[in-house]
Amino acid sequence: MICLFFFFRLGVQFQNVATEKVRDSGFGAVLTPSRSHQKMEAQGFRCGVLSDNPASALAQCNAKELKRRFGLYLPEEVVEEILLRLPTESLLICKCVCKLWYNLITEPSFINKHLRFTVQNRNISSSSVSLFLKWTRQELSEHDIFHGDRHDLDLSKQVLSLITITKDQDANFNSNSGSGDNLPCVIEQLSFPSLPQKEQVDFPRDSVSSHCNGIICLFNRLRKERTVLFNPALRRFRILHTPCLLPNFEYAGCGFGYDPMTNVYKFVKIFRSARDARVSRAQVYTLGIDSWREIKIDVVQGKSCYPHGGGVYCKGFYYWYNMNLKYEMILSFDMSKEKFHIIPIPDHTKHIDRRIKRLALWNESVVFFFSPELSWFSTILEMWVLVDDSGGVEGSTYWRKHLTIGPLARIEAPLEFWKDDELLFETRDGLIVSYNLYTQSLRKLPIPGAIYPGLTYANVCLESPLIV
């Protein structure tokens, strides 16, 4: 029963958290779970929670009713402290208890507090890491061998997975046990609900994924097709439709992030002129307001704008690597001020073609990967950390070389740090492996099949109660 599960879950929290806070603050005593349970049994659940429709009955119970029937009373600030410690799945149940709790849990300020609490306690108390993985299945058929360049357009071969990597078992890993070991994990295949035929036509193909505060953004890296915002914790998604406000302009890149000043999420889309690639424009969509508007992008005027699909969000800014060799740079976007900035890349990495150049996140900092050596048998990667306090304002940023990785064989590209010292790679022979920066050991991610190299994206995913 929903109600029994709810009170049992909160009973543990009452004992561990609420009792101390209430007593310290001078508020009335809190009933223990056992006494609350006895009182609920004695009153026969007259509140209706054992009716034929428990969810409906719970929704009819308000805070006063809970107090009158069960003698259960907690100050609102203590309730908030308890709810902050619950996982997202439990919060969905708590939303059904009363209007007060529903309003509290759906408040943007509470969602942000819950996210901060999750981040702060992830490395201390969490025993696992959630990873969203978008990959394309490689099939060794005659058609795939001779027409493999069309993998990116075949939705039947695209796979979305939610991977839970167990930290406890990972801590016991013996680096001397060999490179053939698998990461300890549980793999769940994700699927979107059936879409109307009209939506299926424009559903993102050749999709790229990025992550911000528990929300995955899936978009097409080459075309103007629609964008999907997806919350893996709630299994809910939303399709964004870009209005045609900029005639004679073509899609160049996009990014999704959070504005910490106004507590809203924004989606920015960059366009370049179809007649002159050195002329760029941008549009911003704000979730909750449901409106698009054009903004200026003066910093790149006169420069060809070709943002790499694999951008990253970090501390109120979104970052792209601009792939045009003549105008190589990092382009950043301030989600609060809605302004673009340019960050130069390390000097010795400029104007060198056919090399890995990729952005990633590490320890809440932006990192830039560059491969001075790249081949099937030997790939070396330099890892540069962006030292930045203002999101790319000229003169306030610089790069610091952190370390060199490799040489490694058969490496295609780096994907994501799932721990401070563990970096995921996709390989040229169809694998995803985890590389330890210090032991230099490799372990395989045991996905069911071989990947098609170059079409894989991974994002460490936080739990969020945000409904997109």
Side-chain angles (χ1 to χ4, degrees):
M1 298 292 293
I2 294 178
C3 187
L4 290 176
F5 168 78
F6 164 71
F7 277 103
F8 174 78
R9 185 91 187 193
L10 283 190
V12 177
Q13 301 291 343
F14 290 163
Q15 286 182 316
N16 296 339
V17 180
T19 303
E20 294 181 4
K21 288 184 174 293
V22 173
R23 287 175 180 171
D24 293 342
S25 60
F27 290 106
V30 181
L31 292 178
T32 64
S34 58
R35 289 181 60 193
S36 300
H37 184 67
Q38 291 171 1
K39 191 164 187 177
M40 285 188 283
E41 286 184 339
Q43 295 192 2
F45 286 85
R46 289 194 297 269
C47 189
V49 292
L50 285 185
S51 66
D52 292 336
N53 190 345
S56 174
L58 274 173
Q60 296 172 6
C61 288
N62 54 34
K64 292 182 179 179
E65 186 69 12
L66 289 174
K67 177 183 176 183
R68 185 175 71 84
R69 294 291 186 187
F70 310 137
L72 187 64
Y73 172 75
L74 287 173
E76 184 174 344
E77 59 269 23
V78 177
V79 171
E80 181 176 353
E81 286 295 321
I82 295 172
L83 295 176
L84 285 174
R85 288 160 170 76
L86 296 182
T88 301
E89 292 181 359
S90 299
L91 288 179
L92 292 179
I93 299 174
C94 294
K95 285 169 60 176
C96 300
V97 174
C98 60
K99 290 182 179 180
L100 176 67
W101 287 19
Y102 177 87
N103 293 334
L104 174 62
I105 293 171
T106 55
E107 272 289 322
S109 59
F110 175 84
I111 294 174
N112 296 329
K113 288 180 182 179
H114 187 271
L115 178 69
R116 288 197 299 269
F117 185 87
T118 301
V119 172
Q120 291 170 0
N121 292 272
R122 179 175 56 180
N123 295 328
I124 300 174
S125 59
S126 178
S127 60
S128 62
V129 175
S130 294
L131 186 75
F132 176 85
L133 185 69
K134 179 265 171 186
W135 56 288
T136 302
R137 192 185 308 277
Q138 182 177 174
E139 298 176 357
L140 298 180
S141 64
E142 181 179 348
H143 180 271
D144 288 330
I145 292 173
F146 292 101
H147 304 280
D149 58 331
R150 307 312 298 173
H151 271 71
D152 53 351
L153 301 181
D154 189 347
L155 284 177
S156 68
K157 291 187 174 70
Q158 292 190 26
V159 184
L160 305 179
S161 302
L162 187 63
I163 300 173
T164 304
I165 304 175
T166 306
K167 280 185 177 180
D168 293 341
Q169 296 181 29
D170 176 72
N172 298 326
F173 168 68
N174 182 359
S175 61
N176 296 323
S177 59
S179 61
D181 291 345
N182 291 338
L183 278 176
C185 64
V186 176
I187 301 177
E188 176 187 358
Q189 185 167 331
L190 300 174
S191 59
F192 292 113
S194 299
L195 298 172
Q197 186 63 34
K198 182 175 67 173
E199 301 288 0
Q200 291 180 17
V201 173
D202 288 332
F203 194 84
R205 302 168 190 268
D206 184 20
S207 57
V208 177
S209 68
S210 64
H211 170 262
C212 175
N213 296 351
I215 306 301
I216 298 294
C217 180
L218 286 167
F219 53 91
N220 192 288
R221 62 179 177 178
L222 297 176
R223 300 167 183 83
K224 296 183 180 180
E225 296 168 50
R226 300 169 188 184
T227 300
V228 175
L229 299 180
F230 177 52
N231 187 330
L234 303 182
R235 302 299 196 274
R236 297 193 180 184
F237 74 97
R238 177 180 181 179
I239 297 179
L240 293 183
H241 305 266
T242 306
C244 185
L245 302 179
L246 300 173
N248 300 320
F249 277 79
E250 59 185 14
Y251 167 73
C254 62
F256 176 73
Y258 171 67
D259 176 2
M261 300 296 293
T262 58
N263 289 336
V264 297
Y265 289 82
K266 295 178 180 179
F267 178 74
V268 58
K269 208 160 188 177
I270 301 173
F271 300 84
R272 60 176 170 264
S273 172
R275 300 173 180 174
D276 185 351
R278 296 172 297 175
V279 177
S280 301
R281 309 275 284 275
Q283 291 179 342
V284 171
Y285 175 86
T286 302
L287 269 69
I289 300 178
D290 196 26
S291 65
W292 288 89
R293 49 200 168 77
E294 185 179 347
I295 61 173
K296 294 182 179 180
I297 184 171
D298 296 333
V299 293
V300 297
Q301 299 307 328
K303 304 178 178 67
S304 298
C305 192
Y306 289 89
H308 185 275
V312 296
Y313 170 83
C314 182
K315 299 179 181 178
F317 292 82
Y318 199 89
Y319 299 84
W320 300 267
Y321 162 64
N322 194 59
M323 298 184 295
N324 186 286
L325 284 179
K326 187 177 180 181
Y327 302 106
E328 280 191 289
M329 59 189 175
I330 304 298
L331 183 65
S332 71
F333 178 72
D334 186 332
M335 288 287 171
S336 298
K337 297 179 181 180
E338 297 186 352
K339 291 185 177 181
F340 289 88
H341 302 283
I342 290 177
I343 305 172
I345 63 175
D347 288 337
H348 80 284
T349 68
K350 296 179 180 178
H351 313 307
I352 302 177
D353 198 6
R354 297 185 180 180
R355 292 290 190 270
I356 295 174
K357 297 180 182 180
R358 185 78 63 94
L359 292 177
L361 289 180
W362 175 75
N363 278 348
E364 298 186 8
S365 296
V366 176
V367 298
F368 180 69
F369 285 112
F370 169 71
S371 59
E373 181 178 323
L374 178 63
S375 70
W376 176 278
F377 301 102
S378 179
T379 296
I380 296 177
L381 279 176
E382 296 178 353
M383 176 178 166
W384 294 78
V385 179
L386 181 65
V387 181
D388 179 17
D389 295 323
S390 55
V393 177
E394 187 175 357
S396 66
T397 62
Y398 63 92
W399 295 97
R400 183 184 69 243
K401 186 176 179 180
H402 181 64
L403 53 78
T404 299
I405 299 173
L408 300 173
R410 301 184 299 279
I411 292 299
E412 174 71 18
L415 295 175
E416 178 89 339
F417 281 100
W418 66 271
K419 276 176 57 178
D420 294 345
D421 59 350
E422 291 279 347
L423 174 62
L424 290 178
F425 284 96
E426 59 175 338
T427 71
R428 299 187 180 190
D429 52 353
L431 301 177
I432 297 177
V433 297
S434 180
Y435 174 80
N436 188 283
L437 299 183
Y438 303 114
T439 65
Q440 301 180 8
S441 58
L442 287 171
R443 286 178 291 170
K444 186 175 71 172
L445 187 67
I447 58 174
I451 67 166
Y452 194 86
L455 301 177
T456 307
Y457 291 86
N459 307 99
V460 170
C461 194
L462 302 174
E463 282 197 358
S464 170
L466 177 67
I467 298 177
V468 293

